[in-house]
Amino acid sequence: MKVYFGIKFLKKILMVVCGVILFCGHTFAQDNSGGGAENENDTTAYSQEENTLLHKLADVKDDEKIGIYNHLAHTFILKNPVKARFYAQHALDIAQEIDNELGQAEAFKNIGAVYLQQSNLSQALAYFLDALKIFEQNKQRKGIAESLNNIGNIYFLQKKTKQAKEYYLKVLEMDKTAKNQKGVASTLNNLGAVAMQEEAYKDAEQYFEEALKINQRLHIHEGIAENLKNLGDIYHKKNNFSQALWHYFHSLHIDESIGNNANVGEAFLSIAETYLKSEKLDSALHYAKKSALIAEKYNFETLFAETSQLLSDIYAIQKNYEKAYYFQNLYLLNKEAFFDEKNSKKIQDLQTSYELEKQQQQITILQKDKKVKNIVLTAVLVCLALVFVLMMVFFHNNQQRKIINAQLRRKNEAILIKNVEITQQKEEILAQNEAIETQNEEIQRKNEEISKKSIHIESSIKYAQRIQQAMLPQEADIQLTFKDFFVYYVPRDVVSGDFYWFYKTKNKIIISANDCTGHGVPGAFMSMIGDSLLNQIVMDKGVLAPNEILDEMHAGIQKALSQSESKNRDGMDMMVCLIDIETKKIYYAGAKNSLLFVKNNEMHEYKADNLSVGGWNNIDRTNHKYEVQEIDYADSPVTLYLYSDGFQDQFGGKENKKFTRRQFRDFLFEIHTLPFAEQKQLAQQKFLDWKGAERQMDDVVVMGIKVEV
């Protein structure tokens, strides 16, 4: 039983979210075996043909059933890979049951084509090689040619043009000898794609034109569409955008008419890229969204990744850094090779741009507030000065009238002059008041915008919390394995840099508690990387030894974050336990965090290696291997405690000091005999009592598990 949520689960969540908010591949190599009927005018014909063939299944023998299922699988490879995989598997099951070798080979070839379409190159190659072996044993030249072509396609997608060209030339010679014009056209198209990768555009154009002539003569609509699209790519490279778009739209029209969904999505992507290069952003965004919807609907992962990258570029140009950052992350999650240097830097650039824009908005608002305050202060001082002047004038006039009437006229003239000046000052003050009122309205509008953005950001973080909670193992699933256990998990912010992990095979169980660098959103991103790497190392690679898992995690984080070049120090402290049910032994390896366990009513501690996983530093770790330690529970049950440092490092108490590691160890020993539900409740109460009114310093995770004999 597997209990986990990993990178594939996150991909599905993000693809669904992408479809809801209406965001919106690009390969040249063509499958020599086709991918659908070439001469149908619309997709209705395929539905009719499918229904007709499925109704025939009840009345035919097993050999004919194999042929029908393989034909249906072949038809739907480019239109609906999931359905194609379903039919191919039915063909394979029947063929293996009655020992029909050629039926098995065709099924292997079709399954490999599905995996190739979904960019799972390792699986595709395995099935293509199985098909090739059977075709060679039975001397099936057509099958051999198709298999060699498919293997060439894999090398092409890996950008190994020399190997791909060698395979394609072999296939071309075989097709010419067999006078297989359809195969010749397909292989010429593939050789053109290789020339495109090598930037030999003149040779590529010649290959595509030759292939187009053959396909037009044979009325192979799918091939015509592929050739037109590839010729459009050449015009795109030459910056002849009008010709590029002409070819792309003609290719799109043909693919839509025959229901070739994979190439429809690629055509939308090519059109979007051309509009982007032509600086027509609205059109580029429109067709990029269409491409993404096709990719999401039919699970075309390479197309989905490339479209996400394009959307990120478009939104970055539009200075919509939040969406650009979102789609760049979406692109990275859909790439088979995680976080290459270019994309890691791009994420950092987009995030930096987004943060700088928010900071600049805050600075602008603060500056306006200061300006308003200065204007108000100036107005008050002017009013006070005016009152003072009026009082002085009044006093001065009264004194002058008493002293001498002869100077009355001159004084009146002086007063008149003063009144004119005062009137001018009043007018200036009124104008300033109007300006202040306008600025106040602008400040209020800015405050409303900031409030809306704050709500949006808070909503996004809460959504990230739901994704992270879905990533963590469910306690109900752990309960199926361990009767007595608890998990006390308290993020410092909405999302956490701490996470725990659980995986079970038939006879082995792996549990892990992990503390990533940072907390909040940065820590949560690191936790997602950690969870994905654990899934890859344990489930995909089959690494089960705790010390080897830590070594693999160290290498994986350094590669994912390009730490040898960026000198990035982010990493994580980890505790990994392997419970072997057959041998009744527990194996532990730790990075920074030591294991606490109780056996025979005594508390024990296994020290961890004093090196985190991941992170760049000046320490030479070339020969370092993490130490593995062993616990035997054949004679007595063992209670394990895995944790991060958040609990023991929390400030609080009467003297506002850290809880400390010793006090944490004593507390766990004090409660270890109690029921685990009560242990969790006491851990929560102890933490909250100690913290009191102090703010939480770090994320907290504590796991208690009782391993029975």
Side-chain angles (χ1 to χ4, degrees), residues 324-489:
Y325 182 61
Y326 171 82
F327 287 113
Q328 184 65 20
N329 276 309
L330 194 60
Y331 165 70
L332 293 175
L333 284 172
N334 279 272
K335 289 294 288 181
E336 287 294 330
F338 276 33
F339 297 97
D340 59 27
E341 178 181 358
K342 177 180 177 182
N343 290 324
S344 294
K345 185 177 184 299
K346 187 163 188 178
I347 278 186
Q348 292 171 357
D349 290 344
L350 291 170
Q351 188 173 13
T352 300
S353 298
Y354 181 58
E355 294 297 332
L356 285 174
E357 186 178 82
K358 291 198 296 185
Q359 291 174 6
Q360 187 59 45
Q361 290 174 349
Q362 293 171 352
I363 291 171
T364 301
I365 291 170
L366 290 173
Q367 289 175 341
K368 289 184 177 180
D369 287 343
K370 184 177 180 181
K371 186 176 180 181
V372 169
K373 291 178 180 178
N374 289 337
I375 292 172
V376 172
L377 179 61
T378 301
V380 171
L381 292 175
V382 169
C383 290
L384 290 174
L386 178 59
V387 171
F388 178 78
V389 169
L390 289 172
M391 290 177 64
M392 290 297 297
V393 169
F394 180 78
F395 176 80
H396 182 265
N397 287 340
N398 278 304
Q399 290 298 317
Q400 291 295 359
R401 280 196 305 268
K402 293 178 181 179
I403 295 171
I404 184 168
N405 288 329
Q407 296 178 355
L408 182 59
R409 185 178 297 170
R410 291 196 299 271
K411 295 303 178 182
N412 286 336
E413 291 175 354
I415 292 172
L416 181 61
I417 293 171
K418 287 292 183 180
N419 285 335
V420 171
E421 293 176 354
I422 291 169
T423 301
Q424 291 176 346
Q425 290 174 347
K426 285 182 177 179
E427 290 175 354
E428 291 174 0
I429 292 171
L430 288 174
Q432 290 174 346
N433 286 337
E434 290 177 358
I436 291 171
E437 184 177 353
T438 301
Q439 290 170 348
N440 284 336
E441 291 175 355
E442 179 66 17
I443 291 171
Q444 183 177 357
R445 187 181 65 81
K446 291 291 184 182
N447 286 337
E448 290 175 355
E449 289 181 2
I450 292 171
S451 177
K452 290 178 182 178
K453 289 181 179 180
S454 176
I455 293 171
H456 180 67
I457 292 170
E458 182 180 354
S459 176
S460 298
I461 293 174
K462 287 183 178 178
Y463 186 78
Q465 178 191 35
R466 292 198 295 272
I467 292 176
Q468 187 177 52
Q469 288 173 344
M471 177 189 77
L472 295 171
Q474 300 299 306
E475 293 190 25
D477 294 326
I478 302 176
Q479 187 79 50
L480 296 175
T481 302
F482 295 108
K483 177 182 177 183
D484 295 321
F485 85 100
F486 76 86
V487 177
Y488 180 51
Y489 177 69

Side-chain angles (χ1 to χ4, degrees), residues 87-306:
Y87 286 133
Q89 189 61 50
H90 272 284
L92 179 60
D93 292 341
I94 298 173
Q96 289 177 336
E97 184 177 340
I98 66 173
D99 199 26
N100 184 328
E101 289 191 348
L102 293 180
Q104 293 179 47
E106 286 293 329
F108 284 140
K109 184 187 69 174
N110 288 329
I111 294 173
V114 171
Y115 279 121
L116 182 64
Q117 189 62 35
Q118 296 177 334
S119 304
N120 191 335
L121 302 186
S122 60
Q123 285 281 51
L125 181 60
Y127 280 101
F128 288 151
L129 290 174
D130 288 341
L132 179 61
K133 290 176 185 177
I134 297 175
F135 285 134
E136 287 178 338
Q137 290 170 1
N138 290 272
K139 298 181 180 179
Q140 296 291 313
R141 293 177 60 85
K142 182 174 181 292
I144 293 171
E146 291 174 350
S147 300
L148 291 175
N149 180 80
N150 289 332
I151 295 171
N153 288 344
I154 291 176
Y155 282 120
F156 173 82
L157 291 172
Q158 293 177 322
K159 301 187 184 303
K160 298 179 179 179
T161 55
K162 181 178 179 181
Q163 295 93 322
K165 190 173 184 179
E166 290 174 358
Y167 276 93
Y168 291 153
L169 288 173
K170 289 179 183 179
V171 175
L172 182 62
E173 187 64 28
M174 295 176 70
D175 287 334
K176 287 182 176 179
T177 301
K179 297 182 179 180
N180 178 5
Q181 286 298 297
K182 175 188 172 184
V184 169
S186 176
T187 308
L188 287 172
N189 184 76
N190 292 346
L191 287 168
V194 171
M196 281 283 288
Q197 275 196 356
E198 294 175 340
E199 299 184 352
Y201 300 127
K202 187 174 181 181
D203 292 341
E205 185 175 4
Q206 183 176 350
Y207 280 124
F208 294 146
E209 291 287 357
E210 289 182 29
L212 179 61
K213 289 178 182 178
I214 297 173
N215 285 324
Q216 288 174 334
R217 187 172 68 251
L218 298 178
H219 303 291
I220 302 174
H221 300 299
E222 180 180 312
I224 294 171
E226 183 74 4
N227 300 147
L228 288 172
K229 182 179 72 64
N230 289 340
L231 286 168
D233 290 340
I234 292 178
Y235 284 113
H236 181 99
K237 291 289 186 181
K238 294 179 179 179
N239 293 330
N240 189 340
F241 301 132
S242 61
Q243 279 294 318
L245 289 171
W246 186 92
H247 283 81
Y248 289 149
F249 277 112
H250 277 69
S251 169
L252 173 63
H253 176 72
I254 296 172
D255 285 327
E256 285 179 330
S257 69
I258 63 176
N260 190 337
N261 296 311
N263 286 353
V264 167
E266 291 180 2
F268 283 141
L269 178 62
S270 298
I271 292 168
E273 289 173 335
T274 305
Y275 277 128
L276 177 60
K277 203 168 182 181
S278 305
E279 300 182 351
K280 297 179 180 179
L281 296 184
D282 291 340
S283 297
L285 184 60
H286 173 73
Y287 284 99
K289 288 180 178 179
K290 280 178 170 284
S291 175
L293 289 174
I294 290 287
E296 186 266 336
K297 181 176 181 180
Y298 295 102
N299 196 27
F300 298 141
E301 293 191 4
T302 298
L303 177 63
F304 191 85
E306 292 176 346

Side-chain angles (χ1 to χ4, degrees), residues 652-669:
K654 294 180 180 179
E655 299 179 0
N656 194 25
K657 293 183 178 180
K658 285 186 177 182
F659 190 77
T660 74
R661 179 177 178 77
R662 176 178 294 278
Q663 191 171 340
F664 179 60
R665 172 175 171 160
D666 293 344
F667 170 68
L668 291 178
F669 182 71

